[in-house]
Amino acid sequence: MRITIVLIALALVGGAALAVAQTTHTDHGDGMDHAQHGQVDPAGAVLTEPGQGAFAALSEAVRVLEADPNTDWAMVDLSGLRAHLVDMDRLVKGAIVTETVLPNGISAVATENAETIATLQRMVPAHAAQLANDNRWEVEAAQTDNGMDLRVTSDDVAVVGRIKGLGFFGLMASQDHHREHHLMMARGGNAHDH
């Protein structure tokens, strides 16, 4: 009797292991069943973030390009968009910024290693031009041998408070134009042509 129970248990475990092996035949060593990609969770849960931020931005651009029947695939430049996303990541994670509070705003000196300095010198002038479209403040950006100087000031006390609250990184992330800018780059436009 005991041997029969053991044999039945082994048969059940073996059958379950075979079923698991058959359903995970598309596992590429990462523990994921890649045959399930694109399928909706039966519980109705849908994720909106397809991974790491830069990957998500690229994925979103690809989705929009593929949905547009007028996409000129000969002009598409997803490598250029990727390079810009790498710059954005490097600016946020790598730049060392020293902010000086001024009575009417801030002065920020940004620097770091050679790669980050090159990123700063590509991104800060382009974004300063975008910031300058807002007539509530004055924007000056100057390239230095070691990075960039950014000065943002205003005569309006409320705007001065906003400038100080935003600081260098908040100013670089303000003026919600990034998605439009990224799509323009994906379509082959100049990465820093604002």
Side-chain angles (χ1 to χ4, degrees), residues 104-191:
N104 59 347
I106 66 163
S107 172
V109 177
T111 190
E112 226 303 351
N113 60 27
E115 282 185 334
T116 304
I117 289 170
T119 288
L120 290 164
Q121 292 176 345
R122 281 189 295 272
M123 293 193 68
V124 174
H127 198 71
Q130 186 70 29
L131 286 171
N133 289 329
D134 187 331
N135 62 11
R136 292 175 293 177
W137 48 38
E138 298 292 323
V139 180
E140 299 172 37
Q143 183 173 316
T144 69
D145 291 339
N146 297 321
M148 289 296 302
D149 288 346
L150 178 69
R151 180 181 292 251
V152 182
T153 58
S154 176
D155 294 329
D156 183 328
V157 175
V159 175
V160 171
R162 179 178 174 200
I163 293 167
K164 291 176 180 179
L166 287 169
F168 175 82
F169 293 105
L171 288 163
M172 291 299 295
S174 67
Q175 309 297 303
D176 190 24
H177 69 286
H178 297 280
R179 288 178 292 271
E180 178 183 342
H181 178 64
H182 292 170
L183 187 55
M184 180 265 306
M185 287 189 300
R187 287 189 164 131
N190 185 332

Side-chain angles (χ1 to χ4, degrees), residues 5-132:
I5 293 171
V6 170
L7 289 175
I8 291 171
L10 286 174
L12 290 173
V13 170
L18 178 60
V20 168
Q22 288 174 342
T23 61
T24 60
H25 70 281
T26 54
D27 182 342
H28 298 286
D30 57 7
M32 296 175 58
D33 182 359
H34 293 271
Q36 299 297 318
H37 283 210
Q39 295 182 10
V40 177
D41 184 302
V46 178
L47 297 178
T48 59
E49 177 66 48
Q52 182 262 358
F55 188 88
L58 283 168
S59 177
E60 183 177 39
V62 167
R63 181 180 48 77
V64 170
L65 292 170
E66 288 179 338
D68 182 355
N70 297 316
T71 293
D72 181 352
W73 291 101
M75 292 296 296
V76 167
D77 183 13
L78 293 171
S79 293
L81 174 56
R82 177 196 174 270
H84 177 71
L85 296 169
V86 168
D87 268 353
M88 290 179 73
D89 192 59
R90 187 176 295 124
L91 180 137
V92 169
K93 292 181 180 177
I96 296 173
V97 179
T98 304
E99 290 181 12
T100 302
V101 175
L102 307 172
N104 59 347
I106 66 163
S107 172
V109 177
T111 190
E112 226 303 351
N113 60 27
E115 282 185 334
T116 304
I117 289 170
T119 288
L120 290 164
Q121 292 176 345
R122 281 189 295 272
M123 293 193 68
V124 174
H127 198 71
Q130 186 70 29
L131 286 171

